[in-house]
């Protein structure tokens, strides 16, 4: 492959439409695989989803819209945190985003493997295959490497896969799930949950419920991820916030209604984090006398996983490439192909994902590995979110004159309230993430917590070490990464 690391991507790069960006955001955020975890709460899942939407999704969506349109230069979260707190913490934020998504890939892809296992109409065989660690590992590796090669093709290619794969594999299956689930209820069938209004408010005396429910905050994570593409859409000042807000509304609707649809069908005692969604589809199709739809939806869900992975492969890696070219990573990581994609960063990520995926073979059960990696993802991502919310609040006061085409309503008080809600929600979820959930077998609680703490410390220290050893010669002379505002002021003085 020809080294084009010092060349700029073609100026003829495809533009993203508002509709494409809405779908990309929904696909980046919505994963139907997480619905069974919240279906355990029955009707109280509504409270958790709405609570997390108010204290996390809305703050993330609006804060990201202000930051992305106010500081639309390249860099994404690196730019935003760097404007507030300097490049050291900015590099930490960018590293957390890239590392957490690398850790997340095996868990997200596990759902794709389970989906493919349910193509066969014999459910007993399906469940056995879905629990087979070697089958899961093979599918995880196949889908991830396929997604990586699609990302090599550039913005136009992965945007098309993300859009149409998201429609086919996430949005359409979500509609099917919701329509059939509520049809089951309205036809007079007995739901597996109590539908009394007093069930909407959860039992706050049960601490175990609160611990597992804290992870719902990260169901909404990712709305800021596509901010890296703010310059890839026409009229970003108007269209980017519009896409964010519409995607947020669609996300809440899919999560709430989809979770209830599963809860209507699957008894709480039978819920499995990796298989219950497919079992719910199977049961719904048998009830509706269309069992032949099971394999079709299984393939669609696998396509949705591919679309989600392509979106997440391309976004953070593109952001890390800009940071690398600005002088924060060696030249080897700055290598790009003719489509302007960060091939070496993508390959390093693919190797790391492959190694992590082996955990599904080594650990006692697929579900135990799934939970450990999922919680580590939550912890690392929340570190980035705490930095992002803190930066947004700080910048309102440190750069009050900065042109912000989109501003959170309510002036500085509005930013303090919304940003503060997001920061407090992120901190709370961060602390709860280290507590083993009683509903899931994780082996020794001490080993579980120790592993999470150790890995968190390791991944937080790593970017500080890289930042400390960086060299001036790492900066790409052709990099168009703009100086931070405070750097320009320093030169002017």
């Amino acid at each position: 492959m020809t080294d084009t690391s010092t060349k700029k991507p073609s100026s003829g790069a495809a533009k993203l439409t508002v509709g494409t960006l809405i779908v990309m955001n929904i696909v980046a955020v919505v994963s139907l695989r997480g619905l069974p975890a919240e279906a355990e709460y029955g009707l109280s899942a509504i409270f958790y989803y709405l609570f997390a939407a108010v204290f996390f999704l809305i703050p993330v969506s609006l804060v990201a819209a202000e930051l992305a349109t106010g500081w639309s230069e390249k860099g994404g979260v690196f730019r935003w945190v760097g404007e507030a707190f300097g490049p050291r913490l900015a590099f930490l934020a960018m590293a957390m985003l890239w590392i957490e998504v690398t850790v997340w890939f095996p868990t997200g892809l596990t759902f794709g493997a389970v989906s493919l296992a349910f193509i066969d109409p014999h459910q007993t065989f399906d469940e056995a295959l879905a629990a087979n660690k070697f089958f899961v590992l093979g599918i995880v590796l196949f889908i991830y490497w396929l997604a990586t090669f699609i990302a090599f093709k550039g913005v136009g290619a992965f945007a098309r896969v993300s859009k149409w794969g998201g429609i086919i594999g996430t949005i359409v299956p979500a509609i099917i799930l919701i329509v059939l689930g509520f049809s089951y209820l309205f036809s007079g069938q007995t739901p597996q949950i109590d539908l009394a209004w007093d069930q909407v408010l959860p039992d706050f005396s049960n601490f175990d419920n609160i611990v597992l429910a804290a992870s719902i905050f990260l169901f909404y994570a990712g709305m800021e991820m596509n901010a890296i593409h703010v310059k890839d859409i026409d009229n970003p000042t108007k269209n980017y916030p519009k896409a964010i807000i519409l995607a947020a509304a669609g996300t809440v609707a899919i999560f709430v209604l989809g979770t209830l649809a599963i809860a209507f069908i699957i008894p709480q005692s039978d819920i499995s984090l990796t298989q219950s969604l497919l079992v719910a589809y199977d049961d719904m199709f048998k009830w509706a006398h269309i069992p032949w739809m099971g394999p079709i939806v299984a393939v669609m869900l696998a396509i949705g996983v591919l679309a989600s992975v392509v979106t997440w492969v391309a976004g953070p890696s593109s952001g890390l490439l800009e940071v690398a070219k600005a002088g924060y990573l060696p030249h080897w990581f700055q290598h790009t192909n003719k489509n302007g994609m960060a091939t070496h960063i993508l390959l390093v990520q693919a190797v790391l994902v492959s190694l992590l995926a082996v955990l599904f073979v080594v650990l006692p059960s697929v579900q135990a590995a799934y939970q450990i990696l999922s919680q580590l993802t939550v912890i690392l991502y929340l570190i980035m979110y705490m930095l992002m919310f803190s930066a947004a609040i700080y910048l309102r006061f440190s750069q009050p004159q900065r042109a912000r085409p989109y501003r959170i309503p309510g002036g500085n008080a509005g930013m303090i309230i919304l940003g503060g809600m997001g920061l407090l929600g992120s901190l709370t979820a961060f602390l709860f993430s280290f507590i083993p959930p009683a509903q899931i077998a994780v082996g020794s609680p001490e080993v579980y917590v120790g592993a999470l703490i150790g890995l968190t410390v390791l991944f937080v220290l790593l970017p500080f070490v890289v930042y400390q050893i960086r060299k001036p010669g790492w900066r790409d002379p052709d990099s168009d990464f703009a100086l931070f505002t405070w750097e320009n002021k320093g030169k002017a003085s």
Side-chain angles (χ1 to χ4, degrees):
M1 186 177 291
T2 304
D3 187 346
T4 59
S5 61
T6 60
K7 297 179 183 179
K8 297 179 182 179
S10 170
S11 59
K15 284 285 187 179
L16 300 179
T17 65
V18 173
T20 297
L21 193 58
I22 290 172
V23 174
M24 286 178 66
N25 276 311
I26 291 177
V27 172
V29 175
V30 173
S31 174
L32 301 183
R33 71 183 177 87
L35 301 187
E38 298 308 319
E40 289 196 34
Y41 299 106
L43 215 56
S44 64
I46 297 174
F47 172 87
Y48 288 120
Y49 277 123
L50 295 180
F51 179 82
V54 171
F55 282 90
F56 190 76
L57 178 62
I58 292 174
V60 166
S61 301
L62 298 183
V63 165
E66 175 168 323
L67 291 173
T69 54
W71 288 267
S72 59
E73 300 90 345
K74 290 182 176 179
V77 71
F78 179 87
R79 166 74 53 189
W80 310 336
V81 175
E83 287 283 352
F85 307 125
R88 187 188 303 271
L89 288 179
F91 189 64
L92 173 63
M94 190 70 235
M96 290 298 95
L97 177 59
W98 189 81
I99 294 172
E100 69 82 18
V101 77
T102 301
V103 174
W104 170 82
F105 281 127
T107 64
L109 287 166
T110 298
F111 178 63
V114 172
S115 298
L116 291 176
F118 276 77
I119 290 177
D120 188 274
H122 302 97
Q123 185 169 305
T124 302
F125 174 77
D126 292 344
E127 293 180 355
L129 187 60
N132 185 294
K133 292 175 284 190
F134 293 99
F135 172 80
V136 170
L137 176 63
I139 298 300
V140 164
L141 295 178
F142 174 77
I143 296 179
Y144 186 81
W145 281 93
L146 176 60
T148 298
F149 288 118
I150 292 173
F152 282 172
K153 300 298 182 181
V155 172
F158 75 70
R160 285 192 296 273
V161 172
S162 177
K163 177 181 178 180
W164 293 110
I167 290 172
I168 294 170
T170 298
I171 296 176
V172 171
I175 293 171
I176 293 172
L177 177 68
I178 293 166
V179 169
L180 284 181
F182 280 83
S183 296
Y184 176 90
L185 176 67
F186 295 144
S187 69
Q189 301 293 319
T190 302
Q192 299 296 328
I193 58 173
D194 187 348
L195 296 181
W197 280 108
D198 61 357
Q199 296 297 309
V200 174
L201 284 179
D203 178 10
F204 291 110
S205 65
N206 188 341
F207 185 71
D208 293 331
N209 283 344
I210 298 175
V211 170
L212 189 58
S215 65
I216 201 172
F217 277 61
L218 265 291
F219 276 41
Y220 290 132
M223 197 63 76
E224 82 297 331
M225 192 266 293
N226 283 314
I228 193 70
H229 302 304
V230 69
K231 286 191 171 182
D232 294 327
I233 62 174
D234 290 317
N235 193 6
T237 300
K238 174 184 177 183
N239 290 332
Y240 181 80
K242 180 193 299 183
I244 286 286
I245 292 169
L246 291 175
T251 297
V252 173
I254 290 174
F255 276 146
V256 170
L257 300 178
T259 297
L260 291 178
I262 294 174
F264 294 154
I265 304 292
I266 306 291
Q268 182 181 11
S269 59
D270 294 341
I271 289 177
S272 160
L273 298 187
T274 54
Q275 298 180 18
S276 286
L277 179 64
L278 284 304
V279 173
Y281 274 113
D282 241 21
D283 290 348
M284 288 179 184
F285 292 142
K286 288 176 182 176
W287 168 77
H289 305 293
I290 48 172
W292 50 268
M293 278 290 294
I296 296 174
V297 168
V299 173
M300 292 171 68
L301 290 170
I303 292 172
V305 171
L306 175 63
S308 178
V309 171
V310 169
T311 302
W312 280 94
V313 164
S317 292
S318 297
L320 189 61
L321 173 64
E322 298 300 335
V323 173
K325 289 187 173 185
Y328 295 92
L329 287 175
H331 286 293
W332 188 86
F333 290 94
Q334 301 173 24
H335 181 280
T336 59
N337 62 11
K338 64 181 180 180
N339 299 311
M341 299 306 294
T343 48
H344 283 182
I345 291 176
L346 289 169
L347 288 173
V348 167
Q349 189 172 50
V351 170
L352 292 175
V353 169
S354 300
L355 292 174
L356 285 171
V358 175
L359 286 174
F360 287 102
V361 175
V362 175
L363 291 180
S365 73
V366 170
Q367 186 146 310
Y370 184 97
Q371 181 63 20
I372 290 172
L373 290 182
S374 293
Q375 287 304 100
L376 182 60
T377 297
V378 169
I379 290 166
L380 299 180
Y381 211 165
L382 285 168
I383 293 173
M384 187 222 76
Y385 275 121
M386 288 187 281
L387 288 168
M388 187 188 84
F389 284 122
S390 299
I393 296 170
Y394 183 84
L395 287 170
R396 270 296 186 99
F397 297 92
S398 65
Q399 297 187 28
Q401 304 305 318
R402 178 82 178 199
R404 293 168 168 83
Y406 174 81
R407 297 177 69 94
I408 289 176
N412 290 342
M415 171 58 80
I416 291 173
I417 292 171
L418 271 178
M421 287 166 57
L423 180 59
L424 180 61
S426 298
L427 177 60
T428 302
F430 175 80
L431 295 175
F432 281 158
S433 294
F434 288 96
I435 302 173
Q439 295 95 328
I440 300 172
V442 294
S444 167
E446 292 78 12
V447 173
Y448 175 86
V449 174
L452 285 178
I453 293 174
L455 289 170
T456 300
V457 171
L458 172 65
F459 287 132
V460 168
L461 289 178
L462 185 60
F464 285 127
V465 172
V466 174
Y467 180 86
Q468 194 63 37
I469 65 173
R470 76 194 189 287
K471 303 182 187 304
W474 286 1
R475 184 178 177 91
D476 182 348
D478 291 333
S479 172
D480 58 354
F481 192 89
L483 294 175
F484 292 113
T485 303
W486 49 265
E487 288 181 302
N488 281 321
K489 287 182 179 177
K491 288 193 171 186
S493 61

